[in-house]
């Protein structure tokens, strides 16, 4: 018998983490017009940064800092090394970031092998919700996801730098005419995306364990999410993350776990055929 309450709980948890991944992914595209195929590798780096720090005995909160700092630094290096140098050719950037992703995965696979690694929970204990014992760590993950997303919306809409990001996403040339440095804004965007993906990796690692290929499925689902929500739309990615997340959980829980990822791909194909502009269109400027 299908456990509806369990599906709802897992759907909320996984959707909140996919939202972090997809929002960073769509911000990079919305501002710089670049598709970062190493975004999944950033998730893996976040998870293993936390894993190494905690296994070294520094505690999980030091692991959280590592899951923020290391992926952000990696994203900045990707931008400075690849995206900024070849900003005139999106295909080249896609290939370079894909190669970077493969390198990261292979390094992790060689060093750690294929065995999954467990990341300690931020908080211990369980809370009973809808008759199910839910890990407090997962509740923290959901709450933190919403705090980060709300903070990002406030930052984008009310801070000077956020408004510069909006202006650059609307018209890089127009933004440059009023003195906004597009290179600096893109750098901020890549760093923010790295932080969001790194924290998603931390919680995915503590929820499902960490392994060398853990970033692949979230990256593929991010494509479905940003296309469904509208390329470059933060608001659309948030809504679509919950649509795709719940469909994913329903498919794997109620039908067959082997169908993981299928729902997202079906949605991707349908949206591209019926409404290629997505639910909200390309509207980072309206975030």
């Amino acid at each position: 018998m299908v456990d509806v309450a369990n599906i709802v709980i897992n759907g909320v948890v996984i959707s909140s983490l996919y939202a972090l991944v997809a929002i960073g992914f769509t911000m990079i595209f919305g501002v710089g017009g670049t598709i970062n195929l190493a975004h999944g590798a950033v998730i893996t780096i976040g998870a293993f940064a936390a894993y190494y720090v905690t296994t070294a005995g520094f505690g999980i909160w030091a692991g959280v800092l590592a899951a923020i700092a290391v992926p952000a630094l990696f994203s900045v290096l990707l931008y400075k090394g690849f995206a900024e140098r070849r900003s005139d050719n999106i295909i080249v950037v896609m290939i370079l970031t894909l190669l970077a992703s493969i390198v990261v995965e292979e390094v992790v696979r060689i060093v750690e092998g294929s065995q999954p690694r467990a990341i300690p929970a931020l908080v211990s204990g369980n809370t009973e919700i809808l008759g199910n014992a839910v890990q407090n760590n997962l509740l923290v993950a959901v709450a933190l996801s919403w705090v980060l997303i709300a903070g990002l919306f406030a930052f984008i809409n009310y801070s000077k730098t956020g408004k510069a990001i909006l202006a650059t996403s609307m018209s890089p040339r127009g933004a440059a005419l009023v003195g906004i440095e597009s290179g600096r804004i893109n750098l901020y965007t890549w760093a923010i995306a790295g932080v969001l993906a790194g924290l998603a990796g931390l919680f995915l690692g503590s929820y499902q364990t960490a392994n060398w290929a853990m970033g692949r499925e979230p990256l593929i689902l991010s494509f479905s999410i940003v296309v469904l929500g509208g390329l470059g739309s933060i608001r659309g990615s948030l809504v679509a993350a919950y649509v795709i997340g719940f469909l994913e959980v329903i498919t794997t829980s109620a039908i067959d776990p082997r169908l993981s990822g299928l729902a997202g791909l079906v949605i991707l194909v349908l949206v591209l055929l019926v409404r290629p502009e997505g639910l909200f269109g390309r509207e980072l400027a309206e975030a």
Side-chain angles (χ1 to χ4, degrees):
M1 182 178 177
V2 176
D3 187 342
V4 176
N6 192 50
I7 288 176
V8 171
I9 292 168
N10 285 327
V12 170
V13 171
I14 205 69
S15 298
S16 66
L17 299 181
Y18 286 165
L20 292 180
V21 177
I23 286 174
F25 189 79
T26 204
M27 280 187 69
I28 289 175
F29 179 82
V31 175
T34 302
I35 295 177
N36 176 20
L37 293 180
H39 202 55
V42 180
I43 297 171
T44 307
I45 289 174
F48 277 93
Y51 170 74
Y52 283 126
V53 168
T54 53
T55 52
F58 291 102
I60 185 58
W61 291 105
V64 173
L65 294 177
I68 293 172
V70 178
L73 177 61
F74 180 73
S75 286
V76 166
L77 292 175
L78 282 178
Y79 173 71
K80 297 296 288 185
F82 298 155
E84 186 178 50
R85 291 172 182 269
R86 299 310 309 267
S87 59
D88 59 329
N89 194 325
I90 185 176
I91 301 299
V92 171
V93 176
M94 287 175 61
I95 293 172
L96 289 172
T97 54
L98 175 62
L99 291 173
S101 177
I102 293 171
V103 169
V104 169
E105 288 186 352
E106 287 302 307
V107 168
V108 174
R109 187 178 65 82
I110 292 170
V111 173
E112 291 297 327
S114 57
Q115 292 298 315
R117 307 296 180 185
I119 297 176
L122 270 68
V123 293
S124 59
N126 298 306
T127 298
E128 186 170 325
I129 299 176
L130 301 175
N132 287 265
V134 181
Q135 296 178 27
N136 290 336
N137 188 53
L138 299 181
L139 299 179
V140 169
V142 173
L144 182 61
S145 168
W146 276 98
V147 168
L148 288 171
I149 292 168
L152 182 62
F153 270 91
F155 172 74
I156 292 291
N157 286 293
Y158 300 113
S159 74
K160 185 178 179 181
T161 303
K163 290 178 180 177
I165 291 175
L166 289 179
T168 306
S169 73
M170 294 171 67
S171 171
R173 182 173 299 178
L177 289 174
V178 296
I180 297 173
E181 300 176 27
S182 62
R184 180 172 57 87
I185 295 304
N186 275 292
L187 186 67
Y188 292 160
T189 304
W190 281 69
I192 292 171
V195 169
L196 297 178
L199 286 172
L202 166 70
F203 283 110
L204 283 170
S206 65
Y207 178 39
Q208 300 175 331
T209 70
N211 64 76
W212 65 277
M214 65 179 292
R216 290 184 179 181
E217 187 172 319
L219 176 64
I220 294 171
L221 290 176
S222 288
F223 272 104
S224 302
I225 290 168
V226 299
V227 170
L228 175 61
L231 287 168
S233 170
I234 295 177
R235 182 170 44 188
S237 291
L238 177 59
V239 173
Y242 276 79
V243 173
I244 297 292
F246 268 92
L247 286 175
E248 177 73 5
V249 172
I250 291 170
T251 302
T252 55
S253 300
I255 302 176
D256 192 330
R258 293 174 297 180
L259 299 179
S260 176
L262 180 62
L265 293 176
V266 171
I267 292 295
L268 176 61
V269 172
L270 290 176
V271 172
L272 289 175
L273 289 174
V274 178
R275 189 179 170 84
E277 72 274 22
L279 296 175
F280 290 83
R282 189 181 186 281
E283 47 79 281
L284 180 60
E286 298 174 16

